[in-house]
Amino acid sequence: MSKFNQYILIPLRDAMRNQAERNAYFIQGKYYTYRYLAERISAIRCAIHDWQSEEKVVAIAIHDSIDTYASIFALWMEGKAYVPLHPNQPVERNKNIIAQVEAKHVLDSEKNEAYADVCQVVYTASLEYAKEYVDDWAEATDDDLAYILFTSGSTGVPKGVPLSRKNLAAFVEAFWNIGYELTQEDRCLQCFDLTFDLSVMSYLVPLLKGACIYTVPYEGVKYIAVVQLMEAHQLTFALMTPSTIQYLRPYFEEFDFPAMRYSLFCGEALPTDVALEWSRCLPNAEIDNVYGPTEDTIFCTAYRLRRNEPNVEHNGVLSIGTTMTSGKVIIVDENNQEIHDDQVGELCLSGEQLTQGYWKNPEKNAEAFWFAEDGTRYYRSGDLCFYGEGGNINFVGRKDSQVKINGFRIELSEIEFHARQFLGDTLVLVLAYTNSEGTQSLAMFIEAKEQDLQALKDYLASKLPPYMLPTKMIYVEKFPVNSSNKIDRSSLKKLI
């Protein structure tokens, strides 16, 4: 049997049949049952089937709507993949994506003719339900695609990361092997845009167990919406980026979420002190720091926070843990030779969750993937790491953030660590920039109102050598975040 059917389509179908009257989604203040989800999937499937089109990838204009989610499942049941188009991104960028994947149709739950000149737009909200159509799936193999996500490319052209059905099924299998036990009683957060891969776990995994998903609207301030959902609905499962709770940190003393059972973090480095403070808001929750790039299907390592004993960490950043069951990770030197113990090298990933390569981009594939002597294919993550206690992996920083100042190689995370030690719960970020003389300098961004910097400068000077001291310190009242809920570094860099 296809692993995609075994781990995804069959559990999804069974949930819709067995939990028909239970709630599947809470969107924009309204509940939608599993029965209604099945009806919307069925209506959209019938329309797709009537196309009689051979296209393998279909675009979805994403919205915080039940039809957007139903469109994803309908495409999978029809043996097709989806590519999400964000409504707040430039139309020309989305048209470039449509052209790259050769999509002939766009599924849209809102009336929008923006793409009518390049493909056929199907207004899904107008599709009427006629009969249940959530099994008898179209023929597809595990090697066929499940979705393609496009990220920013260095050339200005969006870069596609295709993930197969096998990749996604392997993730789901490995996810359950971690030991998460979700049931139909769970209430789960979905706070990500569907162009961000963490959304896939958030909208999919709970449904496989008959749970209810609570979504965060695309409009408004996300971290405020998150805490409102957690308070009003006593959520039990949540995956967030660390930036989300960084913004909530000043209010931790007001929070008490005893219903929360699992709180996961991914997408950015997770400071240990923030995680421990957050744990006091969730007295009954397991708190996990998970890691993985889009290329390795959502996340591929996990570390569980220790509440009452020392944690594995580096520079105040929590370990990313050990690999999940579907993959293999190694740390290599500049010659692709595996290294061990406390040696710092680049983290490389392999296994069933790994993409087959970037979409129609042989040059990027040649840079990012390589084969070991035993024939294993690895992806270069660009993340510098080393093994800590118990084989848990410590994150040091991005390879491209390891900069040379006056000939000295330094880690920006080390400077951030010492600044946080002095400033307490203030958010700090250090970026390298090219100064007027054409050499590298360091700028430190501090999320706070402007104040006297001398005490901070004196403290850093007592902890760091002169070449590691920032030449600029810039106060920002609120750090900008991008659509993935991560700190928007490119926007900050414009302030230098």
Side-chain angles (χ1 to χ4, degrees), residues 59 83-86 89-103 106 112-119 121 150 157-158:
V83 60
L85 307 177
H86 200 294
Q89 291 179 351
V91 171
E92 289 307 312
R93 184 184 190 279
N94 287 337
K95 286 182 178 180
N96 178 280
I97 291 171
I98 291 170
Q100 285 197 53
V101 302
E102 299 178 353
V106 172
N112 184 354
E113 296 300 318
Y115 310 112
D117 59 330
V118 293
C119 58
V121 180
F150 278 80
V157 177

Side-chain angles (χ1 to χ4, degrees), residues 242-285:
S243 288
T244 303
I245 59 167
Q246 287 276 18
Y247 287 124
L248 296 173
R249 195 177 188 184
Y251 314 103
F252 279 0
E253 290 186 0
E254 303 172 19
F255 296 158
D256 182 25
F257 303 120
M260 185 66 69
R261 301 198 301 122
Y262 300 106
S263 177
L264 282 64
F265 293 94
C266 192
E268 298 171 300
L270 177 61
T272 307
D273 59 345
V274 179
L276 287 169
E277 289 180 32
W278 176 246
S279 73
R280 293 191 278 274
C281 305
L282 320 171
N284 303 311

Side-chain angles (χ1 to χ4, degrees), residues 2 77 113 317:
S2 157
M77 291 176 179
E113 296 300 318
V317 171

Side-chain angles (χ1 to χ4, degrees), residues 203-222:
Y203 73 67
L204 174 61
V205 166
L207 294 181
L208 304 180
K209 297 294 183 178
C212 184
I213 299 167
Y214 293 73
T215 72
V216 170
Y218 284 7
E219 304 78 21
V221 182
K222 286 195 175 184

Side-chain angles (χ1 to χ4, degrees), residues 141-241:
T141 72
D142 281 345
D143 290 328
D144 287 326
L145 293 180
Y147 58 87
I148 306 177
L149 299 182
F150 278 80
T151 59
S152 297
S154 58
T155 63
V157 177
K159 178 182 65 179
V161 183
L163 281 308
S164 70
R165 292 173 168 237
K166 177 178 71 176
N167 296 148
L168 186 53
F171 166 79
V172 171
E173 180 183 20
F175 178 88
W176 296 131
N177 286 340
I178 290 176
Y180 299 119
E181 296 178 352
L182 297 183
T183 74
Q184 63 186 33
E185 301 298 330
D186 278 296
R187 298 171 297 280
C188 308
L189 178 68
Q190 202 306 78
C191 63
F192 301 106
D193 290 354
L194 295 179
T195 52
F196 188 24
D197 63 326
L198 297 184
S199 69
V200 180
M201 189 226 75
S202 301
Y203 73 67
L204 174 61
V205 166
L207 294 181
L208 304 180
K209 297 294 183 178
C212 184
I213 299 167
Y214 293 73
T215 72
V216 170
Y218 284 7
E219 304 78 21
V221 182
K222 286 195 175 184
Y223 67 89
I224 293 176
V226 164
V227 78
Q228 288 174 338
L229 286 173
M230 291 177 68
E231 287 180 331
H233 301 282
Q234 292 297 293
L235 301 190
T236 62
F237 183 96
L239 172 65
M240 296 179 282
T241 60

Side-chain angles (χ1 to χ4, degrees), residues 431 445 476 479-482 487-496:
L431 297 176
F445 295 89
V476 180
F479 279 5
V481 294
N482 57 26
I487 294 172
D488 191 338
R489 294 166 182 258
S490 60
S491 292
L492 287 176
K493 211 161 190 177
K494 293 175 182 177
L495 301 177
I496 298 176

